């Protein structure tokens, strides 16, 4: 009999996640799976559970929670020799990875996707010794996202990130950075650097329309120090999906990126605080298989 593990974050989806467990178990049982349910209680539980599923040679792991639960689940899978197929029930505020894969954000519709036999191979990004699935950001706009409270996320959704981000425009902060990508390099004052694997970040699905989930590349966007008028135009371009064509912005595709700075800058990795610079990024092409509709 096939084996499936359902990793549930009980605090996700306004604490309604557990209400859907029985329905998912029923669907997976109909698909021929023996189902094991694992509820997270603390940080890194999802990683541990997913590692156990990989080592137990499970056929399917389903992540039921927000981007944090999914991030932990994928980090538990990437280094393993046996990687089960991944199912996603998005219950978070933003759900960027699900958006990029066209997985429905309504819980009942997302659960129904588990009936599908279709899968899609997806790239995974390596970030130092960890992994990411959507985006790495460095700079003022990236740091602003740390100011977003859980209450703001619940009330405003993705707009909460933009509200905090707009505050940084008045500060107009930029930082010295050196960005080496493949056999090239850029050095100067930068307001923001983005390294994207998918088109969606912060709930904005047009941030990097060039990035596909399995194109085997990291898409880089360098926003240099510019005047206030140009910066406002660039932020507008981020919202409408025209960042790479914006004057002053340097866009590139790469297999490997190294970011350094004279200042102590932290990174934002899939919406969470990451390592301080220097950091190295690379891509693992078509590394995991996700159940899609």
């Amino acid at each position: 009999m096939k084996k499936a593990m359902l990793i549930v974050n009980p605090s996700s989806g306004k604490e309604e996640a557990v209400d859907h467990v029985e329905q998912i178990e029923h669907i997976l049982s109909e698909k021929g799976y023996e189902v094991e349910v694992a509820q997270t209680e603390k940080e890194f539980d999802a990683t541990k559970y997913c590692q156990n599923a990989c080592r137990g040679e499970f056929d399917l792991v389903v992540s039921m929670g927000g981007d944090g639960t999914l991030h932990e689940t994928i980090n538990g899978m990437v280094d393993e020799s046996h990687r089960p197929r991944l199912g996603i029930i998005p219950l978070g505020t933003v759900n960027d990875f699900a958006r990029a894969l066209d997985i429905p954000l309504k819980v009942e519709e997302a659960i129904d996707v588990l009936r599908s036999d279709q899968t899609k191979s997806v790239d995974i990004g390596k970030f130092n010794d960890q992994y990411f699935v959507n985006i790495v950001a460095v700079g003022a706009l990236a740091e602003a996202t740390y100011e977003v409270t859980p209450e703001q996320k619940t009330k405003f959704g993705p707009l909460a990130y933009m509200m905090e981000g707009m505050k940084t425009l008045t500060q107009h902060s930029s930082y010295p950075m050196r960005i080496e990508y493949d056999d090239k390099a850029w050095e100067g004052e930068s307001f923001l650097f983005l390294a994207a694997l998918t088109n969606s970040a912060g709930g904005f699905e047009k941030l990097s329309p060039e990035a596909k989930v399995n194109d085997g590349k990291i898409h880089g966007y360098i926003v240099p120090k510019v005047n206030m008028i140009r910066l406002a135009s660039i932020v507008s371009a981020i919202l409408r999906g025209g960042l790479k064509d914006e004057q002053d912005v340097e866009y590139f595709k790469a297999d490997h990126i190294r970011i350094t700075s004279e200042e102590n800058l932290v990174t934002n990795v899939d919406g969470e605080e990451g390592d301080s610079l220097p950091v190295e990024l690379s891509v693992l092409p078509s590394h995991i298989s996700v159940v899609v509709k």
Side-chain angles (χ1 to χ4, degrees):
M1 198 171 189
K2 296 184 296 183
K3 294 188 293 183
M5 179 179 287
L6 173 59
I7 299 175
V8 183
N9 182 343
S11 64
S12 294
K14 299 179 181 178
E15 301 188 352
E16 297 175 357
V18 293
D19 297 340
H20 301 282
V21 168
E22 188 174 334
Q23 179 188 1
I24 294 171
E25 285 184 294
H26 178 71
I27 288 172
L28 293 180
S29 293
E30 285 186 334
K31 295 283 292 180
Y33 289 100
E34 179 184 340
V35 184
E36 180 177 324
V37 179
Q39 288 195 26
T40 63
E41 296 178 356
K42 58 186 181 299
E43 191 176 15
F44 303 125
D45 273 356
T47 298
K48 178 183 68 177
Y49 294 146
C50 187
Q51 286 173 336
N52 291 341
C54 293
R55 293 164 190 176
E57 297 194 345
F58 278 55
D59 303 279
L60 174 70
V61 168
V62 178
S63 172
M64 189 177 189
D67 283 338
T69 304
L70 179 61
H71 182 85
E72 285 192 16
T73 300
I74 289 174
N75 268 268
M77 180 183 295
V78 175
D79 282 335
E80 300 296 325
S81 57
H82 173 78
R83 294 186 291 277
R85 293 185 301 149
L86 175 66
I88 301 171
I89 311 297
L91 294 178
T93 304
V94 179
N95 306 305
D96 279 319
F97 198 52
R99 290 172 187 270
L101 286 162
D102 293 323
I103 292 172
L105 302 185
K106 292 183 179 179
V107 62
E108 293 291 342
E109 294 178 18
I111 290 172
D112 202 52
V113 173
L114 296 178
R115 301 181 189 274
S116 172
D117 293 319
Q118 301 268 35
T119 59
K120 178 174 280 192
S121 295
V122 177
D123 300 339
I124 296 296
K126 188 166 187 182
F127 172 87
N128 287 347
D129 294 326
Q130 301 176 37
Y131 299 93
F132 68 102
V133 296
N134 286 305
I135 199 160
V136 173
V138 187
L141 203 59
E143 292 179 356
T145 61
Y146 302 142
E147 305 299 321
V148 178
T149 65
E151 292 74 22
Q152 285 176 304
K153 290 182 185 179
T154 300
K155 187 174 181 179
F156 299 110
L159 286 176
Y161 291 101
M162 185 50 61
M163 290 164 61
E164 286 297 327
M166 292 301 287
K167 293 179 184 178
T168 67
L169 289 176
T170 59
Q171 300 168 358
H172 197 204
S173 302
S174 62
Y175 302 100
M177 292 188 208
R178 178 176 173 83
I179 299 160
E180 302 168 55
Y181 54 101
D182 293 346
D183 58 348
K184 299 178 182 178
W186 179 94
E187 192 165 3
E189 291 280 326
S190 176
F191 177 74
L192 177 68
F193 173 66
L194 299 172
L197 279 183
T198 72
N199 64 307
S200 182
F204 297 97
E205 296 175 39
K206 292 183 177 180
L207 187 139
S208 178
E210 301 80 24
K212 310 302 179 188
V213 295
N214 53 8
D215 62 11
K217 294 292 181 182
I218 305 173
H219 297 252
Y221 304 83
I222 303 169
V223 179
K225 182 177 182 180
V226 291
N227 63 41
M228 195 66 173
I229 295 173
R230 289 292 312 125
L231 187 56
S233 175
I234 289 169
V235 171
S236 174
I238 290 175
L239 296 180
R240 67 173 187 269
L243 184 58
K244 88 174 182 71
D245 299 318
E246 190 70 13
Q247 180 185 346
D248 301 314
V249 172
E250 183 160 338
Y251 165 74
F252 62 85
K253 291 188 287 186
D255 300 313
H256 182 269
I257 301 172
R258 176 175 167 81
I259 314 163
T260 57
S261 177
E262 299 167 2
E263 295 195 21
N264 183 30
L265 300 182
V266 295
T267 54
N268 184 305
V269 183
D270 286 344
E272 303 293 334
E273 185 171 342
D275 295 344
S276 299
L277 299 187
V279 297
E280 294 199 33
L281 314 178
S282 57
V283 62
L284 305 174
S286 299
H287 196 67
I288 64 172
S289 182
V290 182
V291 178
V292 295
K293 60 183 178 179

